[in-house]
Amino acid sequence: MYEKWLVGVDIGGTTIKMAFINQNGEMIHKWEIPTNKSEKAQHIPTDIAKSVDQILDELGQRKSKLIGIGIGAPGPVNLRKGSIDVAVNLGWENFHLKDRLEMETSLPVIVDNDANVAAIGEMWKGAGEGAKELLFVTLGTGVGGGIIANGEVIHGVNGAGGEIGHITSIVEGGVLCNCGKTGCLETVASATGIVRLTIEELSSTHIPSKLRDFYNEHQTLSSKLVFNAANEGDELAKRVIDYVAFHLGLALANVANGLNPEKIVIGGGVSKAGEALLAPLKEQFTRFAFPRVAQGVELAIATLGNDAGVLGSAWLAKKRFT
Ligand code: ZN
């Protein structure tokens, strides 16, 4: 049978991930190009269009092989227009991504937020395993989120639905967040937050820790080092991870009480800690969630890694254009 392909695109701060994916969600070919941020990143649609043509050429295929393009982009997305109001990292303001890319490729384009498409990817082919009630949280440099209810992403009235990272935790005051508020979950549960908390503990306590020597020598740390140390029984690192698990568990329990999800999937670089994160998180989540909500849900680490975005984008294209 003549098989047609979907194009999945995931625009990140340093690379644009792209893939041809068939309608069963099987990866045919994936590749990436650097994110060209020059001149307020306005060349991105042209770069994507050229790259699609080039790879089609290399694979000996024609453009008629392609059904359409799904894209995950940073920042809140105007779904109707397929435009991005503001993406600070890229320099985009009121950027008409859908229109520009449709013009460049002559293919239909659908745009959504990057965390939302990653949530969809995990629902379709990852740890979500088809769960239609799914809460996805990505712990990276920041904390992103996607909420899927009855198989549909919650976008809200102006595209800011699912911003789990900006749930204000119960830290009185708290540190300043990128969003302008203080004490957001992102300031605690992101890789950046974990490193900040560890450095604070190192300088304000005398708890022995192998991280102290490392920090004094290198003046830097990573969340991975903190998890590794916690795994090896380091008291200070364990304190930090417990603190992070407390706040993340509390926030997720409260969101879950409003959604009653089947799955909560944890993605992003910090989730690579695996069981070292999941075990304390489950404990705190269960402590705070409404008992029936806690019974119905499974917490799991994301399984698709960097492929979640392109798979979720391709799913959007499949849903809209087939
Ligand atoms: Zn915030």
Side-chain angles (χ1 to χ4, degrees):
M1 201 186 89
Y2 183 69
E3 180 184 79
K4 284 196 145 199
W5 295 343
L6 305 153
V7 187
V9 180
D10 183 12
I11 301 177
T14 51
T15 60
I16 298 174
K17 295 177 179 63
M18 302 174 68
F20 293 146
I21 292 164
N22 73 13
Q23 291 183 68
N24 299 322
E26 288 152 2
M27 195 76 77
I28 306 295
H29 188 83
K30 64 173 172 176
W31 72 100
E32 55 184 59
I33 59 174
T35 307
N36 179 357
K37 291 198 235 178
S38 67
E39 295 172 73
K40 291 194 166 183
Q42 62 160 303
H43 303 296
I44 284 178
T46 317
D47 291 352
I48 293 171
K50 278 186 183 162
S51 184
V52 165
D53 284 345
Q54 187 195 333
I55 301 295
L56 273 177
D57 214 39
E58 284 174 24
L59 298 175
Q61 299 288 343
R62 303 163 75 105
K63 201 171 248 170
S64 57
K65 184 84 176 167
L66 305 178
I67 296 165
I69 304 178
I71 300 202
V77 171
N78 181 319
L79 289 173
R80 201 168 44 79
K81 294 185 191 163
S83 63
I84 286 87
D85 292 339
V86 185
V88 181
N89 291 346
L90 299 176
W92 282 352
E93 271 176 55
N94 193 22
F95 192 81
H96 292 256
L97 181 59
K98 174 182 152 73
D99 290 350
R100 287 275 312 272
L101 195 60
E102 285 184 342
M103 208 120 71
E104 299 273 2
T105 60
S106 331
L107 288 167
V109 172
I110 179 166
V111 182
D112 205 332
N113 168 265
D114 50 7
N116 287 345
V117 298
I120 294 168
E122 288 289 343
M123 171 181 76
W124 192 22
K125 290 287 159 188
E129 289 171 358
K132 287 185 167 176
E133 311 291 338
L134 182 143
L135 185 55
F136 176 74
V137 57
T138 167
L139 311 174
T141 316
V143 172
I147 297 175
I148 295 174
N150 197 22
E152 298 277 348
V153 169
I154 302 288
H155 292 101
V157 68
N158 63 0
E163 285 292 351
I164 294 165
H166 301 287
I167 290 171
T168 317
S169 75
I170 60 163
V171 189
E172 188 92 28
V175 301
L176 187 64
C177 179
N178 290 324
C179 74
K181 296 197 308 176
T182 54
C184 292
L185 181 63
E186 176 162 303
T187 65
V188 173
S190 60
T192 325
I194 293 168
V195 168
R196 178 185 59 80
L197 290 166
T198 309
I199 293 171
E200 274 178 21
E201 282 291 297
L202 287 171
S203 50
S204 67
T205 71
H206 294 285
I207 304 168
S209 172
K210 60 182 70 172
L211 294 170
R212 188 168 267 114
D213 288 343
F214 185 93
Y215 180 66
N216 286 341
E217 193 180 332
H218 302 276
Q219 293 297 305
T220 181
L221 281 173
S222 68
S223 62
K224 184 167 187 272
L225 281 171
V226 180
F227 277 106
N228 286 348
N231 269 344
E232 289 161 17
D234 190 279
E235 273 310 310
L236 186 138
K238 273 164 61 181
R239 251 170 88 121
V240 171
I241 301 307
D242 284 347
Y243 183 86
V244 170
F246 171 88
H247 286 283
L248 186 57
L250 176 61
L252 291 180
N254 284 323
V255 179
N257 283 356
L259 178 68
N260 191 193
E262 183 180 348
K263 285 268 170 78
I264 298 178
V265 179
I266 319 289
V270 173
S271 73
K272 291 189 184 133
E275 215 34 51
L277 170 68
L278 205 54
L281 179 60
K282 277 180 180 167
E283 194 181 317
Q284 297 298 332
F285 177 87
T286 309
R287 183 177 157 204
F288 293 118
F290 184 64
R292 192 166 173 84
V293 168
Q295 281 161 21
V297 75
E298 186 193 334
L299 274 75
I301 299 290
T303 57
L304 297 176
N306 287 334
D307 292 344
V310 291
L311 276 160
S313 302
W315 185 88
L316 282 179
K318 171 184 153 99
K319 187 160 174 263
R320 177 65 62 90
F321 307 128
T322 61

PDB file of all heavy atoms in Angstrom, residues 109-122:
ATOM      1  N   VAL A 109      -0.108  23.148   7.835  1.00  0.00           N
ATOM      2  CA  VAL A 109       0.707  23.197   9.054  1.00  0.00           C
ATOM      3  C   VAL A 109      -0.200  23.397  10.276  1.00  0.00           C
ATOM      4  O   VAL A 109      -1.153  24.177  10.212  1.00  0.00           O
ATOM      5  CB  VAL A 109       1.728  24.361   8.978  1.00  0.00           C
ATOM      6  CG1 VAL A 109       2.454  24.547  10.315  1.00  0.00           C
ATOM      7  CG2 VAL A 109       2.727  24.141   7.847  1.00  0.00           C
ATOM      8  N   ILE A 110       0.094  22.681  11.347  1.00  0.00           N
ATOM      9  CA  ILE A 110      -0.584  22.925  12.620  1.00  0.00           C
ATOM     10  C   ILE A 110       0.470  23.152  13.701  1.00  0.00           C
ATOM     11  O   ILE A 110       1.488  22.451  13.753  1.00  0.00           O
ATOM     12  CB  ILE A 110      -1.567  21.784  12.986  1.00  0.00           C
ATOM     13  CG1 ILE A 110      -2.238  22.073  14.334  1.00  0.00           C
ATOM     14  CG2 ILE A 110      -0.900  20.411  12.994  1.00  0.00           C
ATOM     15  CD1 ILE A 110      -3.450  21.183  14.611  1.00  0.00           C
ATOM     16  N   VAL A 111       0.239  24.170  14.533  1.00  0.00           N
ATOM     17  CA  VAL A 111       1.224  24.571  15.549  1.00  0.00           C
ATOM     18  C   VAL A 111       0.622  24.401  16.947  1.00  0.00           C
ATOM     19  O   VAL A 111      -0.551  24.704  17.155  1.00  0.00           O
ATOM     20  CB  VAL A 111       1.620  26.063  15.365  1.00  0.00           C
ATOM     21  CG1 VAL A 111       2.680  26.465  16.383  1.00  0.00           C
ATOM     22  CG2 VAL A 111       2.110  26.325  13.950  1.00  0.00           C
ATOM     23  N   ASP A 112       1.423  23.928  17.870  1.00  0.00           N
ATOM     24  CA  ASP A 112       1.015  23.905  19.283  1.00  0.00           C
ATOM     25  C   ASP A 112       2.254  24.163  20.148  1.00  0.00           C
ATOM     26  O   ASP A 112       3.383  24.202  19.647  1.00  0.00           O
ATOM     27  CB  ASP A 112       0.350  22.562  19.647  1.00  0.00           C
ATOM     28  CG  ASP A 112      -0.604  22.673  20.847  1.00  0.00           C
ATOM     29  OD1 ASP A 112      -0.396  23.548  21.714  1.00  0.00           O
ATOM     30  OD2 ASP A 112      -1.561  21.879  20.906  1.00  0.00           O
ATOM     31  N   ASN A 113       2.032  24.324  21.429  1.00  0.00           N
ATOM     32  CA  ASN A 113       3.114  24.584  22.377  1.00  0.00           C
ATOM     33  C   ASN A 113       4.011  23.346  22.533  1.00  0.00           C
ATOM     34  O   ASN A 113       3.544  22.211  22.453  1.00  0.00           O
ATOM     35  CB  ASN A 113       2.463  24.970  23.709  1.00  0.00           C
ATOM     36  CG  ASN A 113       3.431  24.985  24.853  1.00  0.00           C
ATOM     37  OD1 ASN A 113       3.548  23.996  25.568  1.00  0.00           O
ATOM     38  ND2 ASN A 113       4.154  26.060  25.012  1.00  0.00           N
ATOM     39  N   ASP A 114       5.308  23.557  22.763  1.00  0.00           N
ATOM     40  CA  ASP A 114       6.265  22.426  22.790  1.00  0.00           C
ATOM     41  C   ASP A 114       5.995  21.416  23.913  1.00  0.00           C
ATOM     42  O   ASP A 114       6.120  20.204  23.699  1.00  0.00           O
ATOM     43  CB  ASP A 114       7.724  22.922  22.815  1.00  0.00           C
ATOM     44  CG  ASP A 114       7.991  23.979  23.883  1.00  0.00           C
ATOM     45  OD1 ASP A 114       7.082  24.246  24.698  1.00  0.00           O
ATOM     46  OD2 ASP A 114       9.102  24.528  23.890  1.00  0.00           O
ATOM     47  N   ALA A 115       5.602  21.905  25.088  1.00  0.00           N
ATOM     48  CA  ALA A 115       5.303  20.957  26.187  1.00  0.00           C
ATOM     49  C   ALA A 115       4.030  20.173  25.876  1.00  0.00           C
ATOM     50  O   ALA A 115       3.928  18.981  26.199  1.00  0.00           O
ATOM     51  CB  ALA A 115       5.159  21.694  27.510  1.00  0.00           C
ATOM     52  N   ASN A 116       3.066  20.829  25.228  1.00  0.00           N
ATOM     53  CA  ASN A 116       1.829  20.127  24.864  1.00  0.00           C
ATOM     54  C   ASN A 116       2.090  19.006  23.854  1.00  0.00           C
ATOM     55  O   ASN A 116       1.537  17.915  23.974  1.00  0.00           O
ATOM     56  CB  ASN A 116       0.808  21.107  24.265  1.00  0.00           C
ATOM     57  CG  ASN A 116       0.201  22.016  25.318  1.00  0.00           C
ATOM     58  OD1 ASN A 116       0.316  21.745  26.508  1.00  0.00           O
ATOM     59  ND2 ASN A 116      -0.423  23.088  24.889  1.00  0.00           N
ATOM     60  N   VAL A 117       2.942  19.267  22.850  1.00  0.00           N
ATOM     61  CA  VAL A 117       3.195  18.214  21.860  1.00  0.00           C
ATOM     62  C   VAL A 117       3.996  17.065  22.490  1.00  0.00           C
ATOM     63  O   VAL A 117       3.787  15.895  22.146  1.00  0.00           O
ATOM     64  CB  VAL A 117       3.870  18.726  20.551  1.00  0.00           C
ATOM     65  CG1 VAL A 117       2.988  19.727  19.844  1.00  0.00           C
ATOM     66  CG2 VAL A 117       5.253  19.252  20.775  1.00  0.00           C
ATOM     67  N   ALA A 118       4.873  17.388  23.434  1.00  0.00           N
ATOM     68  CA  ALA A 118       5.604  16.314  24.127  1.00  0.00           C
ATOM     69  C   ALA A 118       4.626  15.455  24.934  1.00  0.00           C
ATOM     70  O   ALA A 118       4.750  14.220  24.976  1.00  0.00           O
ATOM     71  CB  ALA A 118       6.681  16.905  25.037  1.00  0.00           C
ATOM     72  N   ALA A 119       3.637  16.116  25.547  1.00  0.00           N
ATOM     73  CA  ALA A 119       2.600  15.373  26.294  1.00  0.00           C
ATOM     74  C   ALA A 119       1.857  14.437  25.357  1.00  0.00           C
ATOM     75  O   ALA A 119       1.616  13.263  25.676  1.00  0.00           O
ATOM     76  CB  ALA A 119       1.631  16.355  26.956  1.00  0.00           C
ATOM     77  N   ILE A 120       1.495  14.932  24.180  1.00  0.00           N
ATOM     78  CA  ILE A 120       0.767  14.117  23.201  1.00  0.00           C
ATOM     79  C   ILE A 120       1.642  12.948  22.729  1.00  0.00           C
ATOM     80  O   ILE A 120       1.177  11.819  22.594  1.00  0.00           O
ATOM     81  CB  ILE A 120       0.328  14.974  21.989  1.00  0.00           C
ATOM     82  CG1 ILE A 120      -0.697  16.025  22.428  1.00  0.00           C
ATOM     83  CG2 ILE A 120      -0.266  14.094  20.889  1.00  0.00           C
ATOM     84  CD1 ILE A 120      -0.974  17.084  21.383  1.00  0.00           C
ATOM     85  N   GLY A 121       2.926  13.239  22.482  1.00  0.00           N
ATOM     86  CA  GLY A 121       3.857  12.180  22.068  1.00  0.00           C
ATOM     87  C   GLY A 121       3.903  11.051  23.084  1.00  0.00           C
ATOM     88  O   GLY A 121       3.811   9.870  22.736  1.00  0.00           O
ATOM     89  N   GLU A 122       4.003  11.415  24.365  1.00  0.00           N
ATOM     90  CA  GLU A 122       4.046  10.397  25.424  1.00  0.00           C
ATOM     91  C   GLU A 122       2.710   9.658  25.521  1.00  0.00           C
ATOM     92  O   GLU A 122       2.672   8.477  25.838  1.00  0.00           O
ATOM     93  CB  GLU A 122       4.426  11.029  26.772  1.00  0.00           C
ATOM     94  CG  GLU A 122       5.891  11.460  26.881  1.00  0.00           C
ATOM     95  CD  GLU A 122       6.883  10.290  26.973  1.00  0.00           C
ATOM     96  OE1 GLU A 122       6.472   9.166  27.274  1.00  0.00           O
ATOM     97  OE2 GLU A 122       8.081  10.523  26.715  1.00  0.00           O
TER      98      GLU A 122
END
